Amino acid sequence: MNRFQDSVYQLIVETSTNLPGDVRQAIKAAQEAEDSATRAGLSLLTIATNIEMAECNVSPICQDTGMPTFVVHTPVGANQLIMKEQIRQAIAQATKDGKLRTNSVDSLTGGNTGDNLGPGTPVIHFEQWDKDDIDVRLILKGGGCENKNIQYSLPTELEGLGKAGRDLDGIRKCVMHAVYQAQGQGCSAGFIGVGIGGDRTTGYELAKQQLFRRVDDTNEIDELRQLEEYVMEHANQLGIGTMGFGGQVTLLGCKVGVMNRLPASFFVSVAYNCWAYRRQGVLLSAETGEIKEWLYPEGDTVSMKSQAISEAEQAASEGAAQRREVVLQTPITEEQVRELRVGDIVIINGEMHTGRDALHKHLMDHDSPIDLNGSVIYHCGPVMMKDGDNWVVKAAGPTTSIREEPYQGDIMKKFGIRAVIGKGGMGAKTLAALQEHGAVYLNAIGGAAQYYAECFKRVNGVDFLEFGIPEAMWHLQTEGFAAIVTMDAHGNSLHAEVEQDSLAKLSRFKEPVFK
């Protein structure tokens, strides 16, 4: 098995950088179903561009390469101890090569191991089977969509849907609610895996296992097939849309599994996955460890640049003249910010600064290492590589902003920050601070890590590298960074509007469907 580690490394790189063909087909269908001139249509154009860029650059599709989770089926007698160690070494090498972000963090100290190795990371599940080959599957599920996983204990009361009982109709309501509650924070349009039954732990495992199914397969259990079809049709009537901007396509796939449960417990567990649905698998020779077969359609067989999409790009370009586009050079003034309105497209040039959870917590009680008056804070944990003495941005899409809700308003006012960029929007406290202080929230396209990395022409410096690369404060020279105003200084929030509208639409699905 002298080729096993190399084969696992190839699997990691392919999973991180090249979306499988079945996922690409689902995204292409969504793009062709959406109005290309809308915010959702523009977002899907950016997503399609990013997919192609990641493939060509062999760089991460999204900067959050998630928790690497392997499911390995081995013949009887295979040495799983050696396999586990070689998987770990392949993970470390892929991290060193910039194909994975440093994502393994000590839960007590906050320290980042720097190589994606540590207690619990990566996750490796071994199972024996009666075949001669080795089946290795990997899913990279980022933290933003992982945070939108949800588990229900039936019976329960659901907002907008009323009582959900211990039957197929109650399960249906839970799945619909799971899509609603994710909004744009999970980088919609997304995919969901649903686990019915089990205990709290195995229910979530079953839900995640569904994400290893092909997008275009058909459930063998008739009741579950009907449920999947129902959810795919009706979830896309909620109007949440790509990035939560509103639109025709909210869900790209729904897969449901079932297992037995305890009499007293009835769990419905939902694993939400963003559009950057990174999972792949290989069949390996048990003698050499060489790759015999890729288990999902390879991405480069499905180009995102179809004729229909080219036409959509042209339509979007023509529609751009009707949208307000504002170019801002940092530092930004309060007067410039108060002229912006929800829906405006903002192009930022100049220096901006990344800041995530560790930085926001730190700045609440400490001074900033640099002057932030008039500045832009980007909620981003990039993938960075050293080129000699210089740092290079390899992937740099936005992270979910709502995590910073306890801090953001106070920090903006304390340091004079005029714009915050992230994904998924923020809450009432931040909205009030934007109005009082004179600032805006800009929504970038979640997962578009290659698209945005091109906007960063130089790394001017870094502070708090001791927090780890994703949590450090990177000072980036920016050119042509485009994002949409979704919360302005006048009390308007697109996110609040879409959530309220989708809740009203969700309530249409109260009545029983399955007898």
Side-chain angles (χ1 to χ4, degrees):
M1 284 258 293
N2 58 328
R3 297 296 304 278
F4 180 79
Q5 183 173 321
D6 180 62
S7 295
V8 172
Y9 177 85
Q10 291 181 55
L11 171 62
I12 296 167
V13 173
E14 181 72 7
T15 308
S16 178
T17 65
N18 194 6
L19 279 190
D22 59 333
V23 177
R24 289 180 178 227
Q25 290 283 16
I27 294 172
K28 183 183 291 187
Q31 190 169 12
E32 294 171 352
E34 196 66 75
D35 182 347
S36 59
T38 63
R39 287 183 288 260
L42 287 170
S43 301
L44 284 164
L45 284 174
T46 303
I47 286 168
T49 301
N50 187 79
I51 292 169
E52 296 281 4
M53 291 175 68
E55 178 188 349
C56 292
N57 298 340
V58 196
S59 289
I61 296 163
C62 174
Q63 78 289 336
D64 185 356
T65 52
M67 174 70 80
T69 301
F70 294 86
V71 177
V72 185
H73 285 81
T74 66
V76 175
N79 192 324
Q80 296 178 3
L81 294 175
I82 292 177
M83 288 183 188
K84 182 176 181 179
E85 180 56 31
Q86 291 192 356
I87 290 172
R88 286 169 52 84
Q89 292 306 311
I91 284 284
Q93 186 62 49
T95 306
K96 181 179 179 182
D97 294 344
K99 310 306 180 183
L100 296 175
R101 188 176 72 180
T102 54
N103 268 0
S104 183
V105 177
D106 188 303
S107 297
L108 299 181
T109 68
N112 193 310
T113 65
D115 57 6
N116 271 309
L117 303 181
T121 56
V123 176
I124 307 172
H125 299 290
F126 282 105
E127 296 182 27
Q128 286 188 339
W129 64 355
D130 58 2
K131 299 180 181 180
D132 294 331
D133 294 319
I134 300 169
D135 182 311
V136 184
R137 306 196 185 208
L138 168 64
I139 186 166
L140 301 175
K141 189 171 181 294
C145 60
E146 186 72 11
N147 289 345
K148 302 315 294 183
N149 292 355
I150 191 167
Q151 189 174 68
Y152 303 88
S153 180
L154 300 181
T156 189
E157 287 282 334
L158 296 174
E159 183 182 20
L161 292 168
K163 182 180 178 181
R166 292 184 162 192
D167 53 23
L168 194 58
D169 228 56
I171 296 165
R172 172 188 66 85
K173 289 184 177 181
C174 290
V175 179
M176 291 294 291
H177 184 269
V179 177
Y180 157 75
Q181 63 88 38
Q183 291 291 310
Q185 294 176 21
C187 283
S188 60
F191 302 79
I192 55 172
V194 181
I196 303 169
D199 59 22
R200 286 199 180 274
T201 301
T202 58
Y204 265 133
E205 288 179 348
L206 178 63
K208 200 165 190 177
Q209 286 170 12
Q210 303 311 302
L211 297 175
F212 282 103
R213 289 170 53 188
R214 279 187 55 145
V215 176
D216 53 2
D217 75 1
T218 301
N219 203 310
E220 297 177 352
I221 301 174
D222 190 55
E223 296 91 335
L224 299 187
R225 176 189 58 77
Q226 293 179 51
L227 177 60
E228 291 173 355
E229 291 174 353
Y230 174 93
V231 171
M232 283 302 299
E233 177 183 354
H234 294 88
N236 285 319
Q237 297 174 14
L238 293 176
I240 296 168
T242 304
M243 296 297 123
F245 290 162
Q248 304 302 311
V249 183
T250 298
L251 196 63
L252 298 169
C254 173
K255 303 298 177 185
V256 186
V258 65
M259 60 171 44
N260 284 11
R261 59 179 177 84
L262 294 169
S265 302
F266 197 123
F267 298 113
V268 177
S269 310
V270 181
Y272 186 94
N273 204 98
C274 57
W275 68 260
Y277 184 11
R278 293 158 292 171
R279 57 96 175 92
Q280 186 53 272
V282 286
L283 197 66
L284 306 180
S285 164
E287 294 182 358
T288 66
E290 289 181 292
I291 296 175
K292 298 176 65 175
E293 180 184 346
W294 290 90
L295 298 177
Y296 299 91
E298 292 184 70
D300 55 11
T301 63
V302 182
S303 172
M304 302 303 296
K305 299 296 184 181
S306 68
Q307 179 63 31
I309 288 176
S310 296
E311 293 171 359
E313 287 177 333
Q314 179 63 31
S317 177
E318 293 171 356
Q322 303 172 16
R323 293 184 293 273
R324 196 168 106 93
E325 189 172 289
V326 180
V327 178
L328 295 176
Q329 177 77 33
T330 61
I332 303 168
T333 67
E334 180 179 352
E335 290 74 22
Q336 288 175 306
V337 163
R338 291 200 182 274
E339 291 179 357
L340 299 173
R341 300 279 178 172
V342 164
D344 289 344
I345 296 176
V346 174
I347 311 295
I348 296 177
N349 298 318
E351 189 175 60
M352 70 166 64
H353 317 280
T354 68
R356 284 168 45 106
D357 308 74
L359 179 71
H360 281 75
K361 181 177 184 296
H362 178 85
L363 291 181
M364 288 293 288
D365 302 315
H366 301 85
D367 290 334
S368 170
I370 61 168
D371 183 7
L372 292 176
N373 189 43
S375 67
V376 176
I377 289 290
Y378 183 26
H379 295 163
C380 171
V383 176
M384 307 293 291
M385 291 285 290
K386 264 293 188 67
D387 182 10
D389 294 331
N390 300 316
W391 287 99
V392 178
V393 182
K394 301 297 291 184
T399 195
T400 306
S401 296
I402 197 65
R403 301 197 308 272
E404 316 311 337
E405 180 69 6
Y407 312 113
Q408 196 66 78
D410 296 329
I411 287 174
M412 281 190 300
K413 290 185 286 187
K414 178 179 178 181
F415 295 103
I417 296 165
R418 293 297 171 193
V420 172
I421 305 174
K423 69 175 184 184
M426 304 193 74
K429 181 180 177 182
T430 299
L431 184 61
L434 297 178
Q435 192 169 10
E436 176 190 346
H437 169 59
V440 289
Y441 177 84
L442 306 174
N443 204 119
I445 308 305
Q450 293 304 305
Y451 180 85
Y452 287 117
E454 278 209 345
C455 299
F456 300 124
K457 306 305 180 183
R458 186 175 69 251
V459 178
N460 293 338
V462 61
D463 285 293
F464 307 116
L465 198 52
E466 64 270 21
F467 293 166
I469 286 176
E471 298 285 351
M473 187 182 195
W474 296 93
H475 313 300
L476 306 175
Q477 194 65 31
T478 307
E479 184 179 311
F481 190 106
I484 299 172
V485 178
T486 54
M487 298 170 69
D488 63 26
H490 309 283
N492 303 307
S493 170
L494 175 66
H495 308 283
E497 292 173 12
V498 171
E499 184 171 1
Q500 185 176 6
D501 179 65
S502 59
L503 178 60
K505 291 175 179 175
L506 181 70
S507 65
R508 300 174 187 171
F509 307 116
K510 285 182 179 180
E511 299 304 316
V513 174
F514 301 109
K515 305 300 182 183

